[in-house]
């Protein structure tokens, strides 16, 4: 598929502008424009870095001033870290000495996303094509990531997620806190299910098919002395 003329024009304009903007040795973290803060993984990496760094988190819509401000720092930063699709990266072509890292907000391979969806926005293709590294939780989901984001195998880096490290490293304290609140589960295997509840106009949440065989699940829970906890809306 050929590149839309609008994206081609913007790519050309930003390429000319960026030619005159020197790159600074800085790590730039761009929070999802849907959130008011950095996501947990990004925040943990940001806090751990001791180099020159900057975080930009601005919810949409962006003003003209915001657009100029964000675009400048994208063109001016050596390393850029994302946690979601960031439309600016479809329009601003990065220089060879710049690196773009995706630390996607959703770990694992629980659903199809992005370019694997049949009606994905066209601009997403040009964001993902600029990735130098996509951080994943394990090698077992590399194929899923390559399919969803159309990236080459060498781009996917199964380094694990900082938030997972935080949970694992504090496992004993978290377990003690949990069992203080729910002592009835202390001698049971605990399975935690955390579905993402999103409300869309065309979707009735109550009609959602979870694709779970509840009878088989219940038999498994009885057999293994387990409980199945579900996050509420």
């Amino acid at each position: 598929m050929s590149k839309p003329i609008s994206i081609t024009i913007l790519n050309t304009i930003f390429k000319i502008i960026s030619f005159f903007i020197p790159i600074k040795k800085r790590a730039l973290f761009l929070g999802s424009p849907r959130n008011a803060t950095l996501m947990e993984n990004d925040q943990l990496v940001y806090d751990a870095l001791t180099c020159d760094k900057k975080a930009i988190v601005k919810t949409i819509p962006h003003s003209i001033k915001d657009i100029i401000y964000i675009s400048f720092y994208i063109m001016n930063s050596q390393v850029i870290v994302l946690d979601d699709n960031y439309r600016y990266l479809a329009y601003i072509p990065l220089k060879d000495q710049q690196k773009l890292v995706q630390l996607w907000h959703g770990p694992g391979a629980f659903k199809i996303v992005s370019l694997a969806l049949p009606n994905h926005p066209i601009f997403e293709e040009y964001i993902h094509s600029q990735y130098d590294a996509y951080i994943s939780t394990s090698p077992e989901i590399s194929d899923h990531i390559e399919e969803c984001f159309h990236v080459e195998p060498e781009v996917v880096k199964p380094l694990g997620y900082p938030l997972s490290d935080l949970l694992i490293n504090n496992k004993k304290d978290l377990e003690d806190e949990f069992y203080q609140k729910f002592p009835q589960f202390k001698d049971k295997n605990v399975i935690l299910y955390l579905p993402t509840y999103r409300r869309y106009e065309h979707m009735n949440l109550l009609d959602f098919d979870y694709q779970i065989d509840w009878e088989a699940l219940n038999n498994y829970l009885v057999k293994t002395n387990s409980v199945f906890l579900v996050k509420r809306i």
Side-chain angles (χ1 to χ4, degrees):
M1 181 183 295
S2 60
K3 184 180 291 189
I5 186 65
S6 58
I7 294 181
T8 300
I9 293 172
L10 287 169
N11 285 170
T12 303
I13 292 172
F14 278 112
K15 190 172 184 178
I16 294 171
I17 295 172
S18 66
F19 178 80
F20 298 98
I21 298 177
I23 295 174
K24 187 174 181 180
K25 290 185 177 180
R26 176 199 301 114
L28 174 66
F29 287 73
L30 295 174
S32 170
R34 298 178 297 175
N35 300 312
T37 61
L38 287 177
M39 300 293 281
E40 291 88 348
N41 285 305
D42 294 67
Q43 188 66 59
L44 288 167
V45 175
Y46 181 87
D47 292 342
L49 290 180
T50 57
C51 64
D52 185 12
K53 58 189 177 182
K54 183 175 182 62
I56 297 178
V57 185
K58 289 184 176 291
T59 55
I60 52 178
H62 291 166
S63 66
I64 295 297
K65 183 179 179 180
D66 291 335
I67 293 171
I68 295 173
Y69 177 80
I70 295 170
S71 298
F72 171 79
Y73 275 100
I74 289 175
M75 293 184 283
N76 178 243
S77 300
Q78 186 173 30
V79 177
I80 302 163
V81 182
L82 309 178
D83 62 12
D84 203 341
N85 290 318
Y86 210 87
R87 186 176 294 220
Y88 286 70
L89 273 303
Y91 309 134
I92 302 175
L94 300 179
K95 298 176 182 177
D96 292 340
Q97 57 267 50
Q98 291 181 285
K99 301 299 179 184
L100 181 61
V101 179
Q102 177 61 264
L103 192 58
W104 192 255
H105 56 277
F110 305 109
K111 62 181 180 180
I112 60 172
V113 296
S114 197
L115 305 185
L117 296 171
N119 297 316
H120 64 269
I122 189 68
F123 73 86
E124 290 186 8
E125 298 181 19
Y126 304 103
I127 300 173
H128 305 326
S129 67
Q130 296 208 77
Y131 293 156
D132 293 284
Y134 185 112
I135 310 303
S136 72
T137 50
S138 71
E140 285 73 21
I141 67 167
S142 293
D143 290 346
H144 177 78
I145 291 171
E146 292 166 26
E147 176 187 357
C148 288
F149 296 92
H150 294 186
V151 294
E152 297 299 322
E154 59 270 20
V155 171
V156 183
K157 311 294 183 183
L159 303 177
Y161 271 18
L163 183 58
S164 299
D165 294 339
L166 185 65
L167 294 174
I168 293 170
N169 293 339
N170 295 281
K171 181 178 180 181
K172 182 64 170 60
D173 292 339
L174 293 171
E175 284 183 344
D176 290 344
E177 182 182 349
F178 177 83
Y179 289 129
Q180 284 180 1
K181 293 181 179 179
F182 306 100
Q184 67 271 33
F185 299 146
K186 192 164 187 178
D187 297 322
K188 294 182 178 293
N189 299 309
V190 179
I191 302 172
L192 181 61
Y193 178 47
L194 303 173
T196 300
Y197 295 108
R198 289 198 178 107
R199 295 187 180 277
Y200 298 101
E201 292 182 0
H202 63 280
M203 180 186 296
N204 186 333
L205 188 62
L206 297 178
D207 293 337
F208 181 73
D209 184 359
Y210 286 89
Q211 298 291 312
I212 294 176
D213 186 332
W214 296 104
E215 183 177 355
L217 174 61
N218 188 64
N219 292 335
Y220 173 83
L221 296 176
V222 172
K223 182 179 179 181
T224 60
N225 189 35
S226 302
V227 292
F228 186 72
L229 305 182
V230 182
K231 181 186 74 171
R232 298 182 63 182
I233 300 174

PDB file of all heavy atoms in Angstrom, residues 127-147:
ATOM      1  N   ILE A 127       4.250   4.423  12.396  1.00  0.00           N
ATOM      2  CA  ILE A 127       4.851   4.502  13.732  1.00  0.00           C
ATOM      3  C   ILE A 127       5.700   3.257  13.971  1.00  0.00           C
ATOM      4  O   ILE A 127       6.887   3.331  14.288  1.00  0.00           O
ATOM      5  CB  ILE A 127       3.767   4.607  14.827  1.00  0.00           C
ATOM      6  CG1 ILE A 127       2.902   5.849  14.642  1.00  0.00           C
ATOM      7  CG2 ILE A 127       4.417   4.604  16.215  1.00  0.00           C
ATOM      8  CD1 ILE A 127       1.715   5.905  15.587  1.00  0.00           C
ATOM      9  N   HIS A 128       5.087   2.090  13.794  1.00  0.00           N
ATOM     10  CA  HIS A 128       5.755   0.830  14.107  1.00  0.00           C
ATOM     11  C   HIS A 128       6.971   0.588  13.213  1.00  0.00           C
ATOM     12  O   HIS A 128       7.914  -0.091  13.624  1.00  0.00           O
ATOM     13  CB  HIS A 128       4.775  -0.331  13.986  1.00  0.00           C
ATOM     14  CG  HIS A 128       3.536  -0.169  14.820  1.00  0.00           C
ATOM     15  ND1 HIS A 128       3.536   0.451  16.048  1.00  0.00           N
ATOM     16  CD2 HIS A 128       2.241  -0.548  14.598  1.00  0.00           C
ATOM     17  CE1 HIS A 128       2.317   0.445  16.557  1.00  0.00           C
ATOM     18  NE2 HIS A 128       1.517  -0.145  15.694  1.00  0.00           N
ATOM     19  N   SER A 129       6.953   1.122  12.009  1.00  0.00           N
ATOM     20  CA  SER A 129       8.078   0.900  11.088  1.00  0.00           C
ATOM     21  C   SER A 129       9.359   1.577  11.562  1.00  0.00           C
ATOM     22  O   SER A 129      10.451   1.263  11.061  1.00  0.00           O
ATOM     23  CB  SER A 129       7.714   1.404   9.684  1.00  0.00           C
ATOM     24  OG  SER A 129       7.576   2.817   9.675  1.00  0.00           O
ATOM     25  N   GLN A 130       9.252   2.480  12.546  1.00  0.00           N
ATOM     26  CA  GLN A 130      10.435   3.200  13.019  1.00  0.00           C
ATOM     27  C   GLN A 130      11.051   2.589  14.282  1.00  0.00           C
ATOM     28  O   GLN A 130      12.084   3.051  14.752  1.00  0.00           O
ATOM     29  CB  GLN A 130      10.088   4.674  13.300  1.00  0.00           C
ATOM     30  CG  GLN A 130       9.656   5.461  12.080  1.00  0.00           C
ATOM     31  CD  GLN A 130       9.976   6.938  12.218  1.00  0.00           C
ATOM     32  OE1 GLN A 130      11.112   7.353  12.059  1.00  0.00           O
ATOM     33  NE2 GLN A 130       8.952   7.733  12.527  1.00  0.00           N
ATOM     34  N   TYR A 131      10.448   1.526  14.824  1.00  0.00           N
ATOM     35  CA  TYR A 131      10.958   0.951  16.064  1.00  0.00           C
ATOM     36  C   TYR A 131      12.367   0.381  15.881  1.00  0.00           C
ATOM     37  O   TYR A 131      12.648  -0.343  14.918  1.00  0.00           O
ATOM     38  CB  TYR A 131      10.059  -0.184  16.560  1.00  0.00           C
ATOM     39  CG  TYR A 131       8.687   0.236  17.022  1.00  0.00           C
ATOM     40  CD1 TYR A 131       7.629  -0.667  17.021  1.00  0.00           C
ATOM     41  CD2 TYR A 131       8.442   1.529  17.465  1.00  0.00           C
ATOM     42  CE1 TYR A 131       6.362  -0.292  17.440  1.00  0.00           C
ATOM     43  CE2 TYR A 131       7.179   1.916  17.887  1.00  0.00           C
ATOM     44  CZ  TYR A 131       6.147   0.999  17.869  1.00  0.00           C
ATOM     45  OH  TYR A 131       4.892   1.366  18.286  1.00  0.00           O
ATOM     46  N   ASP A 132      13.226   0.680  16.839  1.00  0.00           N
ATOM     47  CA  ASP A 132      14.526   0.019  16.935  1.00  0.00           C
ATOM     48  C   ASP A 132      14.485  -1.115  17.949  1.00  0.00           C
ATOM     49  O   ASP A 132      15.270  -2.055  17.865  1.00  0.00           O
ATOM     50  CB  ASP A 132      15.599   1.035  17.347  1.00  0.00           C
ATOM     51  CG  ASP A 132      15.833   2.076  16.269  1.00  0.00           C
ATOM     52  OD1 ASP A 132      16.495   1.746  15.276  1.00  0.00           O
ATOM     53  OD2 ASP A 132      15.333   3.214  16.426  1.00  0.00           O
ATOM     54  N   ALA A 133      13.573  -1.016  18.902  1.00  0.00           N
ATOM     55  CA  ALA A 133      13.419  -2.068  19.908  1.00  0.00           C
ATOM     56  C   ALA A 133      11.995  -2.079  20.429  1.00  0.00           C
ATOM     57  O   ALA A 133      11.416  -1.028  20.709  1.00  0.00           O
ATOM     58  CB  ALA A 133      14.399  -1.867  21.059  1.00  0.00           C
ATOM     59  N   TYR A 134      11.438  -3.283  20.519  1.00  0.00           N
ATOM     60  CA  TYR A 134      10.138  -3.492  21.157  1.00  0.00           C
ATOM     61  C   TYR A 134      10.400  -4.423  22.346  1.00  0.00           C
ATOM     62  O   TYR A 134      10.778  -5.574  22.162  1.00  0.00           O
ATOM     63  CB  TYR A 134       9.151  -4.129  20.172  1.00  0.00           C
ATOM     64  CG  TYR A 134       7.754  -4.274  20.723  1.00  0.00           C
ATOM     65  CD1 TYR A 134       6.697  -3.528  20.219  1.00  0.00           C
ATOM     66  CD2 TYR A 134       7.479  -5.171  21.749  1.00  0.00           C
ATOM     67  CE1 TYR A 134       5.416  -3.661  20.730  1.00  0.00           C
ATOM     68  CE2 TYR A 134       6.200  -5.308  22.262  1.00  0.00           C
ATOM     69  CZ  TYR A 134       5.178  -4.544  21.748  1.00  0.00           C
ATOM     70  OH  TYR A 134       3.927  -4.692  22.267  1.00  0.00           O
ATOM     71  N   ILE A 135      10.195  -3.914  23.548  1.00  0.00           N
ATOM     72  CA  ILE A 135      10.471  -4.694  24.750  1.00  0.00           C
ATOM     73  C   ILE A 135       9.282  -5.611  25.048  1.00  0.00           C
ATOM     74  O   ILE A 135       8.147  -5.147  25.143  1.00  0.00           O
ATOM     75  CB  ILE A 135      10.741  -3.775  25.958  1.00  0.00           C
ATOM     76  CG1 ILE A 135      11.775  -2.705  25.597  1.00  0.00           C
ATOM     77  CG2 ILE A 135      11.208  -4.609  27.147  1.00  0.00           C
ATOM     78  CD1 ILE A 135      13.094  -3.220  25.097  1.00  0.00           C
ATOM     79  N   SER A 136       9.563  -6.914  25.186  1.00  0.00           N
ATOM     80  CA  SER A 136       8.492  -7.876  25.461  1.00  0.00           C
ATOM     81  C   SER A 136       8.787  -8.648  26.744  1.00  0.00           C
ATOM     82  O   SER A 136       9.888  -8.574  27.297  1.00  0.00           O
ATOM     83  CB  SER A 136       8.336  -8.857  24.292  1.00  0.00           C
ATOM     84  OG  SER A 136       9.418  -9.770  24.256  1.00  0.00           O
ATOM     85  N   THR A 137       7.805  -9.414  27.197  1.00  0.00           N
ATOM     86  CA  THR A 137       7.934 -10.119  28.462  1.00  0.00           C
ATOM     87  C   THR A 137       8.677 -11.442  28.336  1.00  0.00           C
ATOM     88  O   THR A 137       9.281 -11.896  29.309  1.00  0.00           O
ATOM     89  CB  THR A 137       6.537 -10.388  29.050  1.00  0.00           C
ATOM     90  OG1 THR A 137       5.721 -10.989  28.038  1.00  0.00           O
ATOM     91  CG2 THR A 137       5.887  -9.094  29.509  1.00  0.00           C
ATOM     92  N   SER A 138       8.634 -12.079  27.166  1.00  0.00           N
ATOM     93  CA  SER A 138       9.303 -13.376  27.021  1.00  0.00           C
ATOM     94  C   SER A 138       9.437 -13.732  25.535  1.00  0.00           C
ATOM     95  O   SER A 138       8.701 -13.209  24.689  1.00  0.00           O
ATOM     96  CB  SER A 138       8.507 -14.477  27.733  1.00  0.00           C
ATOM     97  OG  SER A 138       7.312 -14.764  27.025  1.00  0.00           O
ATOM     98  N   PRO A 139      10.366 -14.653  25.210  1.00  0.00           N
ATOM     99  CA  PRO A 139      10.522 -15.079  23.805  1.00  0.00           C
ATOM    100  C   PRO A 139       9.280 -15.767  23.255  1.00  0.00           C
ATOM    101  O   PRO A 139       9.067 -15.771  22.033  1.00  0.00           O
ATOM    102  CB  PRO A 139      11.715 -16.044  23.869  1.00  0.00           C
ATOM    103  CG  PRO A 139      12.435 -15.712  25.129  1.00  0.00           C
ATOM    104  CD  PRO A 139      11.374 -15.257  26.096  1.00  0.00           C
ATOM    105  N   GLU A 140       8.462 -16.351  24.147  1.00  0.00           N
ATOM    106  CA  GLU A 140       7.302 -17.120  23.684  1.00  0.00           C
ATOM    107  C   GLU A 140       6.259 -16.277  22.974  1.00  0.00           C
ATOM    108  O   GLU A 140       5.417 -16.820  22.245  1.00  0.00           O
ATOM    109  CB  GLU A 140       6.648 -17.840  24.879  1.00  0.00           C
ATOM    110  CG  GLU A 140       7.401 -19.058  25.383  1.00  0.00           C
ATOM    111  CD  GLU A 140       8.675 -18.720  26.131  1.00  0.00           C
ATOM    112  OE1 GLU A 140       8.799 -17.576  26.609  1.00  0.00           O
ATOM    113  OE2 GLU A 140       9.552 -19.598  26.225  1.00  0.00           O
ATOM    114  N   ILE A 141       6.271 -14.965  23.170  1.00  0.00           N
ATOM    115  CA  ILE A 141       5.256 -14.131  22.521  1.00  0.00           C
ATOM    116  C   ILE A 141       5.830 -13.312  21.370  1.00  0.00           C
ATOM    117  O   ILE A 141       5.156 -12.432  20.836  1.00  0.00           O
ATOM    118  CB  ILE A 141       4.569 -13.189  23.539  1.00  0.00           C
ATOM    119  CG1 ILE A 141       5.555 -12.141  24.077  1.00  0.00           C
ATOM    120  CG2 ILE A 141       3.933 -13.974  24.663  1.00  0.00           C
ATOM    121  CD1 ILE A 141       4.875 -11.027  24.831  1.00  0.00           C
ATOM    122  N   SER A 142       7.062 -13.613  20.958  1.00  0.00           N
ATOM    123  CA  SER A 142       7.701 -12.839  19.888  1.00  0.00           C
ATOM    124  C   SER A 142       6.901 -12.900  18.597  1.00  0.00           C
ATOM    125  O   SER A 142       6.734 -11.882  17.908  1.00  0.00           O
ATOM    126  CB  SER A 142       9.126 -13.338  19.659  1.00  0.00           C
ATOM    127  OG  SER A 142       9.943 -13.060  20.773  1.00  0.00           O
ATOM    128  N   ASP A 143       6.405 -14.083  18.236  1.00  0.00           N
ATOM    129  CA  ASP A 143       5.627 -14.221  16.997  1.00  0.00           C
ATOM    130  C   ASP A 143       4.387 -13.341  17.032  1.00  0.00           C
ATOM    131  O   ASP A 143       4.000 -12.742  16.020  1.00  0.00           O
ATOM    132  CB  ASP A 143       5.228 -15.681  16.765  1.00  0.00           C
ATOM    133  CG  ASP A 143       6.416 -16.551  16.398  1.00  0.00           C
ATOM    134  OD1 ASP A 143       7.476 -15.984  16.068  1.00  0.00           O
ATOM    135  OD2 ASP A 143       6.287 -17.790  16.455  1.00  0.00           O
ATOM    136  N   HIS A 144       3.741 -13.282  18.189  1.00  0.00           N
ATOM    137  CA  HIS A 144       2.534 -12.468  18.346  1.00  0.00           C
ATOM    138  C   HIS A 144       2.857 -10.990  18.125  1.00  0.00           C
ATOM    139  O   HIS A 144       2.119 -10.282  17.434  1.00  0.00           O
ATOM    140  CB  HIS A 144       1.955 -12.686  19.744  1.00  0.00           C
ATOM    141  CG  HIS A 144       0.764 -11.855  20.062  1.00  0.00           C
ATOM    142  ND1 HIS A 144      -0.506 -12.142  19.603  1.00  0.00           N
ATOM    143  CD2 HIS A 144       0.636 -10.706  20.797  1.00  0.00           C
ATOM    144  CE1 HIS A 144      -1.361 -11.233  20.037  1.00  0.00           C
ATOM    145  NE2 HIS A 144      -0.693 -10.347  20.757  1.00  0.00           N
ATOM    146  N   ILE A 145       3.960 -10.535  18.688  1.00  0.00           N
ATOM    147  CA  ILE A 145       4.350  -9.136  18.540  1.00  0.00           C
ATOM    148  C   ILE A 145       4.707  -8.821  17.094  1.00  0.00           C
ATOM    149  O   ILE A 145       4.321  -7.777  16.554  1.00  0.00           O
ATOM    150  CB  ILE A 145       5.525  -8.819  19.480  1.00  0.00           C
ATOM    151  CG1 ILE A 145       5.048  -8.868  20.934  1.00  0.00           C
ATOM    152  CG2 ILE A 145       6.123  -7.444  19.162  1.00  0.00           C
ATOM    153  CD1 ILE A 145       6.155  -8.793  21.949  1.00  0.00           C
ATOM    154  N   GLU A 146       5.446  -9.724  16.465  1.00  0.00           N
ATOM    155  CA  GLU A 146       5.820  -9.512  15.061  1.00  0.00           C
ATOM    156  C   GLU A 146       4.578  -9.405  14.177  1.00  0.00           C
ATOM    157  O   GLU A 146       4.528  -8.593  13.239  1.00  0.00           O
ATOM    158  CB  GLU A 146       6.704 -10.660  14.587  1.00  0.00           C
ATOM    159  CG  GLU A 146       8.074 -10.697  15.251  1.00  0.00           C
ATOM    160  CD  GLU A 146       8.795 -12.009  15.044  1.00  0.00           C
ATOM    161  OE1 GLU A 146       8.509 -12.676  14.025  1.00  0.00           O
ATOM    162  OE2 GLU A 146       9.626 -12.384  15.893  1.00  0.00           O
ATOM    163  N   GLU A 147       3.550 -10.199  14.486  1.00  0.00           N
ATOM    164  CA  GLU A 147       2.315 -10.163  13.707  1.00  0.00           C
ATOM    165  C   GLU A 147       1.532  -8.876  13.952  1.00  0.00           C
ATOM    166  O   GLU A 147       1.020  -8.264  13.012  1.00  0.00           O
ATOM    167  CB  GLU A 147       1.442 -11.369  14.060  1.00  0.00           C
ATOM    168  CG  GLU A 147       0.081 -11.358  13.361  1.00  0.00           C
ATOM    169  CD  GLU A 147      -0.844 -12.457  13.853  1.00  0.00           C
ATOM    170  OE1 GLU A 147      -0.428 -13.275  14.698  1.00  0.00           O
ATOM    171  OE2 GLU A 147      -2.005 -12.485  13.396  1.00  0.00           O
TER     172      GLU A 147
END
